[in-house]
Structures are given as C-alpha cells and as structure tokens.
Amino acid sequence: MINLIKNIIKDQYYAISLYSRQICGTLVLFIIAHYLSVHDYGLFTSYKNIAIFCLMFANMEFANYILVSSKAHVKEVQLKISLFMLNAIFVLFLVIILSMICRLESHLLFILVVIRTFFDGIFFALILPYFQATRKFNTIANINIFYSLGIATIAIVAYILKLSLTKFLILNIILGLINFIQCSYYVKINYLLVVNYFKRFLEKLDRSILGFIGSTLTDYLYAQTSSLYVAIFLTKEEAALYFAAFTIANIPALISAAQLQKMLPELINAKYIKTKECLIKNLKFIFSITGAILFFIILFGKFVLKLFYGQSYYENASLILIIYFIANMLIINGAVFGVHITANGYQNKKVQMKLETACITILSLFILHTFGIYGAIYSLLIASIYVSIRFTVLSLSI
C-alpha cells in the first residue's frame, strides 16, 4: 500500500506541486483575512485583481508561444524566455511608474502588490517552458512546493505576529526575489545578451504570436471585467465580500483544470462516438462533484464563509457566493465543449465568442451598475450563461 502511494506521488509529483501552489495561495487569503480589517482585506484583494489586469501584457500566453514556436529546442527556448522575461520586467516598471500618477488610496501598497503578483504568477509562467522542453518536471515541482510552503509559512507568521499588510507583502517579495535569482541562474537567462542584440531577438518572433495575444485579450476582457469593476468603483468593504466569494467560487475551476488538460489529446481526430463518450464522462465527473459542493454551499454557505474568513461580516457574501459558484459551473460547462472546439481547429471561433461575451458583460454592467455589488455578480452570471450556450451549440454542431 505504501509503495502504491509512493508510485502515485512519483507519477503525479508535478501535478501535486501545481495543486499545492493553488491550495497554499488560497489558504494565504483565508489566513490573512482572519486578522486584517475588512477594509484592508478589500484593499488588498482589489489591488491584487487590478495588478493582474495591469500585468496582462507581461504574459499573453507567451509561455505557450515560446514552447510551440521553438519546437521545444532548449537553446531557442532559453533565448526566447530571456526576451519575454525582459519584456515582463519592462511592463512591471511601467505599471509602477504609471501608478504614481493615478489616484490610489495607497501607492506604496499597490506597488508592493504589483511586485508580489509579478513574482507569484508572471515569472513562474514565463520560466516554465524551459522545464517543459528539458522534461525536468521534478525540478520545477520542487520549486513550486518550496514556494508554496514559503508563502504559507509567511502567512502563518503574519497571522501570529499580526504583521501589517505592508510587512506581509515585503516578506512575500523577498521570497519571490530569491526564487527569481535562483531560477534565472538555473535556466541561464542572459538579460545582457537580449539588450545587446535586441533587434536579432525580435526577428525570432513570428506572426503566430498574434493568435496567443488575441486569445489572452479576450479571456481577460470577459473573465476579469466584473472583478475589475468591483476593485475600482465599489467600496473596499463591498470588494472584500465579492473577493471572499470569488476565492471559494473558483473551486469548479480547480476541479476541472486537470480534466480539461487531459481531454484535448483524447478529442483530437476522435470519432463521433468517442467524442460523445469523452464529453459526457468529463461533464458527469465535474458536475457530480461541483453539484454536491453547490448543494452544501446553499445549505451552509454562511457557516463556510465565517469559518474560512473568521469574521461574521463575510457571512453577507453567502448569496454572492451561490451566484458566483453557479456562474463558474456554467463557464466550466462551456470550457468542456470549448476543448472539443479547439481539438477540431475552431480556435478562432472561440476568440470571437469570448469577445461577444466581453461586450455582453460590459453592457450588463452599464445597465445594472446601480445595483452595486449585485450588478457586478449578475452581469457575470449573464455572461456565463451566454458563453456556456454559445460554446455548447457550436460544439454540438461540429
């Protein structure tokens, strides 16, 4: 039995490391919410979502482009990582500089959140193609687990010592900087070479990068619009409720991530019967689990929110959580059929439908904005219904 468990861990070590990052990242939010004021938690989560949007141009599926365009040749991958990492650093500094002229409650806090977001997400995404090309998944898995344990430890220390949000962010940035230096050395990223031969590096890019950029832009527009509206226009107390629900409501995405990745190779050149079986099997698996969780949330949502966030104020997010969870289930339904669409070469259709969904989200927000936080959540629900129907209808017509 022990040997069986060891073999499973060995075979799934990289996947486990990815889940550890996601779980620890979520736990960090729960832990700091227990001692931060509602306002400070709302400020942090608002700035976090704004930072993700601002750093969009630092990684527009560039990691996938690096691997595909380089055909997994290690030397070519290293050169392109150097180029795109330098671009990401440039975008980081540009965001920091522009933030200084924007009207923000705390410029220092926003800058720290932006830097933390860069180290926490952008950097790891851009460095990944090297480990994919060299098949060194155990190495990146070790890095993921070390980082996950690091951010969890920092959150626990911050909770015990009741550290300010500024000190908490600085500790996260130090950990991220250590990882950045170590990985840059390990992957042999040569920033000076890029600077000296910048024109030659640009010539290595081809037009296929536009497809990755377009897909990312439409993803951000339809998936992040409601969150961005809440982060910018609503009070930090309302934002705290919205993002408290947001964190728990992302469970369907966590559950379906591995299933969606495994579906794509199965559906490429698959016959109708096999395609139908694959879609039904994955939909049943995802919705049996998420449906049970939704039922539990409907019954005990207030208890769950109080348990995870430690303050009775967050119980007010129970209805928002239910609506958000349903919206994400609909989005996942669309994503399952979306894999089928991609497998059959209709990726451009998906970009078009995501753009339509973004327009619907913005229009819904414009109409419903007077309802405040519920205007944001209902606009997300409307968009999720639309994208789910569109993807399902197109998939069934193929």
Side-chain angles (χ1 to χ4, degrees), residues 85-143:
M85 194 68 75
L86 203 61
N87 168 72
I89 294 170
F90 171 76
V91 172
L92 171 66
F93 280 102
L94 185 63
V95 170
I96 291 172
I97 293 168
L98 292 177
S99 71
M100 298 302 295
I101 62 175
C102 296
R103 186 178 177 181
L104 295 168
E105 184 174 327
S106 174
H107 287 91
L108 174 61
L109 192 62
F110 180 75
I111 290 170
L112 292 176
V113 170
V114 169
I115 297 172
R116 178 186 183 271
T117 303
F118 172 81
F119 286 133
D120 190 57
I122 305 298
F123 163 66
F124 275 103
L126 291 177
I127 211 83
L128 180 60
Y130 171 80
F131 297 97
Q132 291 174 310
T134 56
R135 306 283 181 176
K136 295 181 179 179
F137 288 103
N138 282 348
T139 304
I140 189 64
N142 288 332
I143 293 170

Side-chain angles (χ1 to χ4, degrees), residues 182-201:
Q182 287 179 330
C183 290
S184 294
Y185 177 78
Y186 186 87
V187 180
K188 298 180 176 61
I189 298 177
N190 194 330
Y191 298 107
L192 290 177
L193 187 66
V194 177
V195 173
N196 292 334
Y197 300 96
F198 188 69
K199 187 176 179 180
R200 289 188 187 179
F201 274 79

